Amino acid sequence: DGWDRSKISSATTQEPYKVLFYGDSIFSGYGLGDPQGSVVNVIKETFSKDNYVDRGVIYADLSHEGETTSNAVTRIKQAIAMKPDVIILALGTNDARNGTDPDIIYNNLDTILKDLARSGIYTLFVGMQANTANGYDYLSKFNSVYPKLAETYSVVFLPFLKEGVAGNRMLNQRDAIHPNADGAKVI
């Protein structure tokens, strides 16, 4: 069923919380030789090590390298069908790299958030930020998409996934886009 139950004690009497990661290569650990250093695995290990929730947490990761908001719209029903309690939605990096019109990104994310709201899934919405490669007008328009949608849907909002990591050569791989293992820990 896609859920990783490896960290759940057999003594757990209640159904564990289901957390679904839905993002792109920044989540999935692109370029890391050891997938244990990915953002998703760092989060999973932190929660299981610190035992935040007595009834346990299980995880599934539907993050894909190269994922765009357009692709994600077509796959959101798959995520909803898994019936997670929580979804961590982090999309848009590849859209920005491709220069996708921010209005299209807005509409795609709006569709996804609307579907998640209808399903009652608790959503952590993670913002992205563009750089100046596509110009300052693009940067301004792109960077405004996430806060507008977060306000519209009243979701928990993390304004920028790579806060404290973006632009820091010590925390990123050579491509300056994907975090290295140390960068994943900061995220």
Short mmCIF file of all heavy atoms in Angstrom, two decimals, residues 86-145:
data_model
loop_
_atom_site.label_atom_id
_atom_site.label_comp_id
_atom_site.label_asym_id
_atom_site.label_seq_id
_atom_site.Cartn_x
_atom_site.Cartn_y
_atom_site.Cartn_z
N VAL A 86 -1.83 13.45 6.86
CA VAL A 86 -1.08 14.68 6.59
C VAL A 86 -0.38 14.53 5.24
O VAL A 86 0.16 13.48 4.93
CB VAL A 86 -0.01 14.92 7.68
CG1 VAL A 86 0.83 16.15 7.36
CG2 VAL A 86 -0.62 15.04 9.06
N ILE A 87 -0.39 15.60 4.46
CA ILE A 87 0.40 15.64 3.24
C ILE A 87 1.32 16.86 3.32
O ILE A 87 0.91 17.94 3.75
CB ILE A 87 -0.47 15.68 1.97
CG1 ILE A 87 0.39 15.49 0.71
CG2 ILE A 87 -1.29 16.95 1.89
CD1 ILE A 87 -0.40 15.17 -0.54
N ILE A 88 2.57 16.64 2.96
CA ILE A 88 3.53 17.74 2.89
C ILE A 88 3.74 18.00 1.41
O ILE A 88 4.33 17.19 0.69
CB ILE A 88 4.84 17.38 3.61
CG1 ILE A 88 4.56 17.04 5.07
CG2 ILE A 88 5.84 18.53 3.49
CD1 ILE A 88 5.76 16.52 5.85
N LEU A 89 3.22 19.12 0.94
CA LEU A 89 3.18 19.48 -0.47
C LEU A 89 4.27 20.49 -0.78
O LEU A 89 4.25 21.61 -0.27
CB LEU A 89 1.80 20.06 -0.79
CG LEU A 89 1.53 20.50 -2.21
CD1 LEU A 89 1.52 19.30 -3.16
CD2 LEU A 89 0.19 21.24 -2.27
N ALA A 90 5.24 20.08 -1.59
CA ALA A 90 6.39 20.94 -1.90
C ALA A 90 6.70 20.84 -3.39
O ALA A 90 7.46 19.98 -3.83
CB ALA A 90 7.60 20.54 -1.07
N LEU A 91 6.10 21.71 -4.18
CA LEU A 91 6.24 21.68 -5.63
C LEU A 91 6.53 23.07 -6.18
O LEU A 91 6.15 24.07 -5.58
CB LEU A 91 4.94 21.17 -6.27
CG LEU A 91 4.54 19.75 -5.93
CD1 LEU A 91 3.08 19.51 -6.29
CD2 LEU A 91 5.44 18.77 -6.66
N GLY A 92 7.17 23.11 -7.33
CA GLY A 92 7.35 24.38 -8.03
C GLY A 92 8.77 24.67 -8.47
O GLY A 92 8.99 25.54 -9.30
N THR A 93 9.74 23.96 -7.92
CA THR A 93 11.14 24.22 -8.29
C THR A 93 11.36 24.02 -9.78
O THR A 93 11.98 24.85 -10.45
CB THR A 93 12.09 23.29 -7.49
OG1 THR A 93 11.90 23.53 -6.11
CG2 THR A 93 13.54 23.55 -7.85
N ASN A 94 10.84 22.92 -10.31
CA ASN A 94 11.04 22.64 -11.73
C ASN A 94 10.24 23.58 -12.61
O ASN A 94 10.67 23.95 -13.70
CB ASN A 94 10.70 21.18 -12.04
CG ASN A 94 11.71 20.26 -11.38
OD1 ASN A 94 12.91 20.41 -11.56
ND2 ASN A 94 11.22 19.33 -10.58
N ASP A 95 9.09 24.02 -12.14
CA ASP A 95 8.31 25.02 -12.87
C ASP A 95 9.13 26.31 -13.02
O ASP A 95 9.18 26.90 -14.11
CB ASP A 95 7.01 25.32 -12.15
CG ASP A 95 6.08 24.14 -12.10
OD1 ASP A 95 6.20 23.33 -11.16
OD2 ASP A 95 5.22 24.00 -12.99
N ALA A 96 9.75 26.74 -11.93
CA ALA A 96 10.57 27.96 -11.98
C ALA A 96 11.76 27.78 -12.92
O ALA A 96 12.07 28.68 -13.71
CB ALA A 96 11.04 28.34 -10.58
N ARG A 97 12.41 26.64 -12.83
CA ARG A 97 13.56 26.38 -13.72
C ARG A 97 13.15 26.38 -15.18
O ARG A 97 13.91 26.81 -16.05
CB ARG A 97 14.21 25.04 -13.37
CG ARG A 97 14.97 25.06 -12.07
CD ARG A 97 15.65 23.76 -11.77
NE ARG A 97 16.62 23.44 -12.82
CZ ARG A 97 17.02 22.21 -13.13
NH1 ARG A 97 16.52 21.18 -12.48
NH2 ARG A 97 17.90 22.01 -14.07
N ASN A 98 11.92 25.90 -15.46
CA ASN A 98 11.42 25.86 -16.84
C ASN A 98 10.82 27.18 -17.29
O ASN A 98 10.44 27.32 -18.45
CB ASN A 98 10.36 24.76 -16.98
CG ASN A 98 10.90 23.37 -16.71
OD1 ASN A 98 12.10 23.13 -16.81
ND2 ASN A 98 10.02 22.46 -16.35
N GLY A 99 10.69 28.13 -16.39
CA GLY A 99 10.09 29.41 -16.74
C GLY A 99 8.59 29.33 -16.96
O GLY A 99 8.01 30.16 -17.67
N THR A 100 7.94 28.36 -16.32
CA THR A 100 6.49 28.19 -16.46
C THR A 100 5.79 29.44 -15.95
O THR A 100 6.14 29.99 -14.90
CB THR A 100 6.01 26.96 -15.66
OG1 THR A 100 6.71 25.81 -16.12
CG2 THR A 100 4.51 26.74 -15.81
N ASP A 101 4.80 29.89 -16.69
CA ASP A 101 4.03 31.08 -16.33
C ASP A 101 3.50 30.92 -14.90
O ASP A 101 2.83 29.92 -14.59
CB ASP A 101 2.87 31.24 -17.31
CG ASP A 101 2.04 32.48 -17.07
OD1 ASP A 101 1.96 32.98 -15.93
OD2 ASP A 101 1.44 32.96 -18.06
N PRO A 102 3.76 31.88 -14.01
CA PRO A 102 3.28 31.78 -12.64
C PRO A 102 1.76 31.65 -12.52
O PRO A 102 1.27 31.06 -11.55
CB PRO A 102 3.78 33.07 -11.98
CG PRO A 102 5.02 33.39 -12.75
CD PRO A 102 4.69 33.01 -14.17
N ASP A 103 1.00 32.15 -13.51
CA ASP A 103 -0.45 31.96 -13.48
C ASP A 103 -0.81 30.48 -13.64
O ASP A 103 -1.75 29.99 -13.00
CB ASP A 103 -1.13 32.79 -14.57
CG ASP A 103 -1.07 34.29 -14.29
OD1 ASP A 103 -0.95 34.68 -13.11
OD2 ASP A 103 -1.13 35.06 -15.27
N ILE A 104 -0.07 29.77 -14.47
CA ILE A 104 -0.29 28.33 -14.64
C ILE A 104 0.07 27.59 -13.35
O ILE A 104 -0.67 26.71 -12.90
CB ILE A 104 0.52 27.79 -15.83
CG1 ILE A 104 -0.03 28.36 -17.13
CG2 ILE A 104 0.53 26.27 -15.86
CD1 ILE A 104 0.81 28.08 -18.36
N ILE A 105 1.19 27.97 -12.75
CA ILE A 105 1.60 27.36 -11.48
C ILE A 105 0.53 27.60 -10.43
O ILE A 105 0.14 26.68 -9.70
CB ILE A 105 2.96 27.91 -11.02
CG1 ILE A 105 4.05 27.59 -12.06
CG2 ILE A 105 3.33 27.38 -9.64
CD1 ILE A 105 5.33 28.37 -11.88
N TYR A 106 0.05 28.83 -10.35
CA TYR A 106 -1.01 29.18 -9.39
C TYR A 106 -2.23 28.28 -9.61
O TYR A 106 -2.76 27.70 -8.65
CB TYR A 106 -1.39 30.65 -9.53
CG TYR A 106 -2.43 31.09 -8.54
CD1 TYR A 106 -2.06 31.68 -7.33
CD2 TYR A 106 -3.79 30.89 -8.78
CE1 TYR A 106 -3.01 32.07 -6.40
CE2 TYR A 106 -4.74 31.27 -7.86
CZ TYR A 106 -4.35 31.86 -6.67
OH TYR A 106 -5.30 32.23 -5.75
N ASN A 107 -2.68 28.19 -10.85
CA ASN A 107 -3.87 27.39 -11.15
C ASN A 107 -3.67 25.92 -10.81
O ASN A 107 -4.58 25.26 -10.28
CB ASN A 107 -4.29 27.55 -12.61
CG ASN A 107 -4.82 28.94 -12.91
OD1 ASN A 107 -5.33 29.62 -12.01
ND2 ASN A 107 -4.70 29.38 -14.13
N ASN A 108 -2.50 25.38 -11.12
CA ASN A 108 -2.21 23.98 -10.80
C ASN A 108 -2.23 23.74 -9.29
O ASN A 108 -2.86 22.80 -8.80
CB ASN A 108 -0.86 23.55 -11.36
CG ASN A 108 -0.86 23.46 -12.87
OD1 ASN A 108 -1.90 23.28 -13.50
ND2 ASN A 108 0.32 23.59 -13.46
N LEU A 109 -1.54 24.59 -8.55
CA LEU A 109 -1.49 24.44 -7.09
C LEU A 109 -2.87 24.69 -6.47
O LEU A 109 -3.25 24.03 -5.50
CB LEU A 109 -0.43 25.36 -6.49
CG LEU A 109 1.01 24.97 -6.79
CD1 LEU A 109 1.97 26.06 -6.34
CD2 LEU A 109 1.37 23.63 -6.15
N ASP A 110 -3.62 25.61 -7.05
CA ASP A 110 -4.98 25.87 -6.59
C ASP A 110 -5.84 24.61 -6.73
O ASP A 110 -6.57 24.24 -5.81
CB ASP A 110 -5.59 27.03 -7.38
CG ASP A 110 -6.99 27.38 -6.93
OD1 ASP A 110 -7.17 27.74 -5.75
OD2 ASP A 110 -7.91 27.28 -7.77
N THR A 111 -5.72 23.93 -7.86
CA THR A 111 -6.46 22.69 -8.09
C THR A 111 -6.07 21.63 -7.06
O THR A 111 -6.93 20.96 -6.48
CB THR A 111 -6.21 22.17 -9.52
OG1 THR A 111 -6.68 23.15 -10.45
CG2 THR A 111 -6.90 20.84 -9.76
N ILE A 112 -4.78 21.48 -6.84
CA ILE A 112 -4.29 20.48 -5.87
C ILE A 112 -4.79 20.80 -4.46
O ILE A 112 -5.32 19.93 -3.76
CB ILE A 112 -2.75 20.41 -5.91
CG1 ILE A 112 -2.28 19.80 -7.23
CG2 ILE A 112 -2.21 19.62 -4.71
CD1 ILE A 112 -0.79 19.94 -7.49
N LEU A 113 -4.63 22.04 -4.04
CA LEU A 113 -5.07 22.44 -2.70
C LEU A 113 -6.58 22.32 -2.53
O LEU A 113 -7.06 21.93 -1.46
CB LEU A 113 -4.58 23.85 -2.38
CG LEU A 113 -3.08 23.96 -2.14
CD1 LEU A 113 -2.63 25.41 -2.19
CD2 LEU A 113 -2.69 23.31 -0.82
N LYS A 114 -7.32 22.61 -3.58
CA LYS A 114 -8.78 22.46 -3.53
C LYS A 114 -9.15 20.99 -3.33
O LYS A 114 -10.00 20.66 -2.51
CB LYS A 114 -9.39 22.99 -4.82
CG LYS A 114 -10.89 23.17 -4.80
CD LYS A 114 -11.39 23.80 -6.10
CE LYS A 114 -10.83 25.20 -6.21
NZ LYS A 114 -11.01 25.85 -7.49
N ASP A 115 -8.50 20.10 -4.08
CA ASP A 115 -8.76 18.66 -3.94
C ASP A 115 -8.40 18.18 -2.53
O ASP A 115 -9.13 17.38 -1.94
CB ASP A 115 -7.99 17.86 -4.98
CG ASP A 115 -8.56 17.97 -6.38
OD1 ASP A 115 -9.69 18.50 -6.54
OD2 ASP A 115 -7.88 17.54 -7.33
N LEU A 116 -7.28 18.65 -2.00
CA LEU A 116 -6.87 18.26 -0.65
C LEU A 116 -7.85 18.79 0.40
O LEU A 116 -8.18 18.09 1.35
CB LEU A 116 -5.45 18.74 -0.36
CG LEU A 116 -4.35 18.04 -1.17
CD1 LEU A 116 -3.01 18.74 -0.97
CD2 LEU A 116 -4.26 16.57 -0.79
N ALA A 117 -8.32 20.02 0.21
CA ALA A 117 -9.29 20.59 1.15
C ALA A 117 -10.58 19.79 1.14
O ALA A 117 -11.15 19.50 2.21
CB ALA A 117 -9.55 22.06 0.81
N ARG A 118 -11.05 19.42 -0.04
CA ARG A 118 -12.28 18.61 -0.14
C ARG A 118 -12.12 17.25 0.55
O ARG A 118 -13.07 16.72 1.08
CB ARG A 118 -12.64 18.38 -1.61
CG ARG A 118 -13.26 19.55 -2.28
CD ARG A 118 -13.76 19.15 -3.67
NE ARG A 118 -13.93 20.34 -4.46
CZ ARG A 118 -13.43 20.54 -5.67
NH1 ARG A 118 -12.73 19.59 -6.25
NH2 ARG A 118 -13.64 21.66 -6.31
N SER A 119 -10.93 16.71 0.50
CA SER A 119 -10.70 15.38 1.07
C SER A 119 -10.48 15.44 2.58
O SER A 119 -10.49 14.40 3.24
CB SER A 119 -9.49 14.73 0.41
OG SER A 119 -8.31 15.39 0.80
N GLY A 120 -10.25 16.63 3.12
CA GLY A 120 -10.05 16.77 4.56
C GLY A 120 -8.65 16.40 5.03
O GLY A 120 -8.44 16.23 6.23
N ILE A 121 -7.71 16.29 4.11
CA ILE A 121 -6.33 15.94 4.48
C ILE A 121 -5.63 17.18 5.02
O ILE A 121 -5.63 18.23 4.38
CB ILE A 121 -5.57 15.36 3.28
CG1 ILE A 121 -6.23 14.06 2.81
CG2 ILE A 121 -4.10 15.12 3.63
CD1 ILE A 121 -5.70 13.53 1.50
N TYR A 122 -5.05 17.06 6.20
CA TYR A 122 -4.27 18.14 6.80
C TYR A 122 -3.05 18.41 5.91
O TYR A 122 -2.31 17.48 5.59
CB TYR A 122 -3.83 17.73 8.21
CG TYR A 122 -3.14 18.81 8.98
CD1 TYR A 122 -3.87 19.75 9.72
CD2 TYR A 122 -1.76 18.90 8.99
CE1 TYR A 122 -3.23 20.74 10.44
CE2 TYR A 122 -1.12 19.90 9.71
CZ TYR A 122 -1.86 20.81 10.43
OH TYR A 122 -1.22 21.80 11.13
N THR A 123 -2.87 19.65 5.50
CA THR A 123 -1.84 19.97 4.51
C THR A 123 -0.80 20.93 5.07
O THR A 123 -1.15 21.98 5.62
CB THR A 123 -2.48 20.59 3.25
OG1 THR A 123 -3.44 19.66 2.72
CG2 THR A 123 -1.45 20.91 2.20
N LEU A 124 0.45 20.55 4.91
CA LEU A 124 1.57 21.46 5.13
C LEU A 124 2.01 21.88 3.73
O LEU A 124 2.48 21.06 2.95
CB LEU A 124 2.72 20.80 5.87
CG LEU A 124 4.03 21.60 5.95
CD1 LEU A 124 3.82 22.96 6.60
CD2 LEU A 124 5.09 20.81 6.68
N PHE A 125 1.82 23.14 3.41
CA PHE A 125 2.12 23.70 2.10
C PHE A 125 3.48 24.37 2.17
O PHE A 125 3.69 25.28 2.97
CB PHE A 125 1.02 24.68 1.71
CG PHE A 125 1.13 25.26 0.33
CD1 PHE A 125 1.41 24.46 -0.77
CD2 PHE A 125 0.90 26.60 0.14
CE1 PHE A 125 1.48 25.01 -2.04
CE2 PHE A 125 0.96 27.16 -1.13
CZ PHE A 125 1.25 26.36 -2.22
N VAL A 126 4.39 23.92 1.34
CA VAL A 126 5.77 24.40 1.37
C VAL A 126 6.02 25.29 0.15
O VAL A 126 5.86 24.85 -0.99
CB VAL A 126 6.76 23.22 1.38
CG1 VAL A 126 8.19 23.72 1.43
CG2 VAL A 126 6.47 22.30 2.55
N GLY A 127 6.42 26.52 0.42
CA GLY A 127 6.68 27.47 -0.65
C GLY A 127 8.05 27.30 -1.28
O GLY A 127 8.98 26.76 -0.68
N MET A 128 8.14 27.77 -2.50
CA MET A 128 9.39 27.81 -3.25
C MET A 128 9.64 29.26 -3.62
O MET A 128 8.72 30.08 -3.58
CB MET A 128 9.29 26.96 -4.52
CG MET A 128 8.95 25.52 -4.28
SD MET A 128 10.26 24.67 -3.39
CE MET A 128 9.44 23.15 -3.00
N GLN A 129 10.85 29.55 -4.01
CA GLN A 129 11.17 30.89 -4.49
C GLN A 129 12.00 30.77 -5.75
O GLN A 129 12.87 29.90 -5.85
CB GLN A 129 11.93 31.68 -3.43
CG GLN A 129 11.08 31.99 -2.22
CD GLN A 129 11.79 32.85 -1.18
OE1 GLN A 129 12.94 33.23 -1.34
NE2 GLN A 129 11.09 33.13 -0.11
N ALA A 130 11.70 31.65 -6.70
CA ALA A 130 12.45 31.69 -7.95
C ALA A 130 13.70 32.54 -7.75
O ALA A 130 13.78 33.35 -6.82
CB ALA A 130 11.58 32.29 -9.06
N ASN A 131 14.66 32.35 -8.63
CA ASN A 131 15.82 33.24 -8.64
C ASN A 131 15.65 34.22 -9.80
O ASN A 131 14.61 34.26 -10.45
CB ASN A 131 17.13 32.44 -8.73
CG ASN A 131 17.20 31.58 -9.98
OD1 ASN A 131 16.70 31.95 -11.03
ND2 ASN A 131 17.83 30.43 -9.86
N THR A 132 16.66 34.98 -10.10
CA THR A 132 16.54 36.02 -11.12
C THR A 132 16.79 35.52 -12.54
O THR A 132 16.78 36.32 -13.48
CB THR A 132 17.52 37.17 -10.82
OG1 THR A 132 18.85 36.64 -10.77
CG2 THR A 132 17.17 37.85 -9.51
N ALA A 133 16.97 34.23 -12.74
CA ALA A 133 17.28 33.70 -14.07
C ALA A 133 16.23 34.06 -15.11
O ALA A 133 16.56 34.26 -16.29
CB ALA A 133 17.44 32.18 -14.01
N ASN A 134 14.96 34.17 -14.71
CA ASN A 134 13.89 34.52 -15.64
C ASN A 134 13.48 35.98 -15.53
O ASN A 134 12.42 36.36 -16.05
CB ASN A 134 12.68 33.61 -15.41
CG ASN A 134 12.99 32.17 -15.73
OD1 ASN A 134 13.57 31.88 -16.76
ND2 ASN A 134 12.63 31.27 -14.84
N GLY A 135 14.26 36.77 -14.82
CA GLY A 135 13.97 38.19 -14.67
C GLY A 135 13.27 38.51 -13.37
O GLY A 135 12.70 37.63 -12.71
N TYR A 136 13.31 39.78 -13.03
CA TYR A 136 12.73 40.22 -11.75
C TYR A 136 11.21 40.20 -11.76
O TYR A 136 10.59 39.94 -10.73
CB TYR A 136 13.27 41.60 -11.37
CG TYR A 136 14.71 41.54 -10.93
CD1 TYR A 136 15.74 41.88 -11.80
CD2 TYR A 136 15.03 41.09 -9.65
CE1 TYR A 136 17.07 41.79 -11.40
CE2 TYR A 136 16.36 41.00 -9.23
CZ TYR A 136 17.37 41.36 -10.12
OH TYR A 136 18.68 41.26 -9.71
N ASP A 137 10.59 40.46 -12.90
CA ASP A 137 9.13 40.40 -12.96
C ASP A 137 8.65 38.97 -12.69
O ASP A 137 7.69 38.76 -11.94
CB ASP A 137 8.60 40.88 -14.31
CG ASP A 137 8.72 42.38 -14.49
OD1 ASP A 137 8.85 43.10 -13.48
OD2 ASP A 137 8.69 42.84 -15.65
N TYR A 138 9.33 38.01 -13.31
CA TYR A 138 8.98 36.61 -13.10
C TYR A 138 9.17 36.25 -11.63
O TYR A 138 8.29 35.64 -11.02
CB TYR A 138 9.84 35.70 -13.98
CG TYR A 138 9.47 34.24 -13.85
CD1 TYR A 138 8.49 33.68 -14.65
CD2 TYR A 138 10.08 33.42 -12.89
CE1 TYR A 138 8.12 32.36 -14.53
CE2 TYR A 138 9.72 32.09 -12.75
CZ TYR A 138 8.74 31.56 -13.57
OH TYR A 138 8.38 30.25 -13.43
N LEU A 139 10.31 36.63 -11.08
CA LEU A 139 10.61 36.33 -9.68
C LEU A 139 9.51 36.86 -8.77
O LEU A 139 9.01 36.14 -7.91
CB LEU A 139 11.97 36.95 -9.31
CG LEU A 139 12.43 36.77 -7.87
CD1 LEU A 139 13.94 36.54 -7.83
CD2 LEU A 139 12.10 37.98 -7.04
N SER A 140 9.11 38.09 -8.97
CA SER A 140 8.08 38.71 -8.13
C SER A 140 6.75 37.97 -8.25
O SER A 140 6.09 37.68 -7.25
CB SER A 140 7.92 40.17 -8.52
OG SER A 140 6.87 40.75 -7.81
N LYS A 141 6.36 37.66 -9.48
CA LYS A 141 5.08 36.98 -9.70
C LYS A 141 5.12 35.56 -9.14
O LYS A 141 4.18 35.12 -8.47
CB LYS A 141 4.79 36.95 -11.20
CG LYS A 141 3.39 37.26 -11.55
CD LYS A 141 3.20 37.36 -13.05
CE LYS A 141 1.75 37.02 -13.33
NZ LYS A 141 1.42 36.92 -14.72
N PHE A 142 6.19 34.84 -9.40
CA PHE A 142 6.33 33.46 -8.90
C PHE A 142 6.30 33.44 -7.38
O PHE A 142 5.58 32.65 -6.77
CB PHE A 142 7.63 32.83 -9.41
CG PHE A 142 7.85 31.43 -8.93
CD1 PHE A 142 7.44 30.35 -9.68
CD2 PHE A 142 8.48 31.18 -7.71
CE1 PHE A 142 7.63 29.04 -9.24
CE2 PHE A 142 8.67 29.88 -7.25
CZ PHE A 142 8.24 28.81 -8.02
N ASN A 143 7.09 34.29 -6.76
CA ASN A 143 7.22 34.28 -5.30
C ASN A 143 5.93 34.68 -4.59
O ASN A 143 5.76 34.38 -3.40
CB ASN A 143 8.38 35.15 -4.86
CG ASN A 143 9.73 34.56 -5.24
OD1 ASN A 143 9.81 33.44 -5.73
ND2 ASN A 143 10.78 35.31 -5.01
N SER A 144 5.00 35.33 -5.29
CA SER A 144 3.73 35.71 -4.67
C SER A 144 2.69 34.59 -4.71
O SER A 144 1.69 34.64 -4.00
CB SER A 144 3.18 36.98 -5.33
OG SER A 144 2.72 36.69 -6.64
N VAL A 145 2.91 33.57 -5.54
CA VAL A 145 1.94 32.48 -5.70
C VAL A 145 1.67 31.77 -4.37
O VAL A 145 0.52 31.56 -3.98
CB VAL A 145 2.45 31.47 -6.77
CG1 VAL A 145 1.69 30.15 -6.69
CG2 VAL A 145 2.36 32.07 -8.16
#
